[in-house]
Amino acid sequence: VHGRLRGKVVLVTGASSGIGEAAARLFAKEGASVVAAARRMDRIESITEELREEGLRVWGVVCDVTDEDSVAKAVKSTMEHFGRLDAAFNNAGIPGAMRPLHELVAADFDRVLATNLKGAFLCMKHEIPAMLASGGGAIVNNASIGGLVGAPDSSFYGASKWGLVGMTKCAALDYARKGIRVNAIAPGPTRSEMFDGWMATEAARERLAAAMPMNYIAHPDDMARAALYLLTDEARWTTGAVLACDGGAS
Ligand code: NDP
């Protein structure tokens, strides 16, 4: 098998749509054995079936990143199925409650942080021992430009993504001498289900595209390529880094 991830077993969370789906497809085409994880198993099954028909090695697992037992089971079944874990793209995420701070409620804080920040923690907590048992590894967390700059109506989403950037940098130091690199990508606007929720009308999307330095909104595949780079040995001297992928907007 050819490809930049040949021989590697890679876990992708939130692989049922958007950036995670694009990553699962790209990593499989780059020779990885991919474990595609998400809650919507019907979606995961149709993606994995399609890729298997192309002769690629993919396997689907149900995983809710807010539930530690579910995360532990996904990593355990990865080890049982493929025998090792070399890389992970912790991509699962949800939009924040998009309102000014004083209109936000505590339950939304818990909900957004549970997925975007604690979810990534739970994934890393269970992935890392599996990677150590496999002789090392690489992790990429999917943060956001919203984790590097402030944005209006984004207090909880921003808090979750700034937190994820911080956790990435700290964890990178915990494992730098143990052969595991931990990095993040910080996507700007990217066409996905989440994005279409934010930008509900075609007119709004066109206005935003026109305001982007490169004059278009990213495709999920643009983000998958950035994550791919950080997961390969091409990035072997890069850890604790956050790669801004926003077409120059920030
Ligand atoms: P999508 O809504 O298309 O994808 C989100 C994915 O996350 C889905 O596969 C969903 O799967 C999964 N997910 C959500 N909650 C959970 C959970 N509790 N457990 C497991 N999986 C979960 O949006 P994107 O592809 O845009 O989002 C992917 C990541 O990119 C997110 O972290 C987002 O914050 C980040 N991002 C996106 C930007 C954009 O403009 N699109 C910009 C910056 C960052 P399921 O529902 O099946 O579980």
Side-chain angles (χ1 to χ4, degrees), residues 14-19 38-40 63-66 91-94 115 142-144 157 161 187-190 192-195 198:
S16 57
S17 63
I19 297 169
R39 296 168 302 178
R40 288 172 294 176
C63 178
D64 178 344
V65 299
T66 66
N91 158 80
I94 56 171
T115 302
N142 196 351
S144 172
Y157 187 76
K161 296 298 189 176
T190 307
S192 69
E193 289 174 19
M194 186 187 292
F195 177 82
W198 283 326

Side-chain angles (χ1 to χ4, degrees), residues 13-22 37-44 62-67 70-71 89-96 114-116 119 123 141-147 157 160-161 164 185-196 198 208 217-218 220 223 245:
T13 70
S16 57
S17 63
I19 297 169
E21 176 183 349
R39 296 168 302 178
R40 288 172 294 176
M41 255 333 254
D42 53 331
R43 297 263 200 129
I44 290 288
V62 65
C63 178
D64 178 344
V65 299
T66 66
D67 173 354
S70 175
V71 172
F89 181 36
N90 297 321
N91 158 80
I94 56 171
T115 302
N116 294 1
C123 289
N141 294 321
N142 196 351
S144 172
I145 285 297
Y157 187 76
S160 71
K161 296 298 189 176
L164 183 54
I185 61 167
T190 307
R191 286 302 297 263
S192 69
E193 289 174 19
M194 186 187 292
F195 177 82
D196 287 349
W198 283 326
L208 181 63
I217 296 163
M223 300 309 144
C245 311

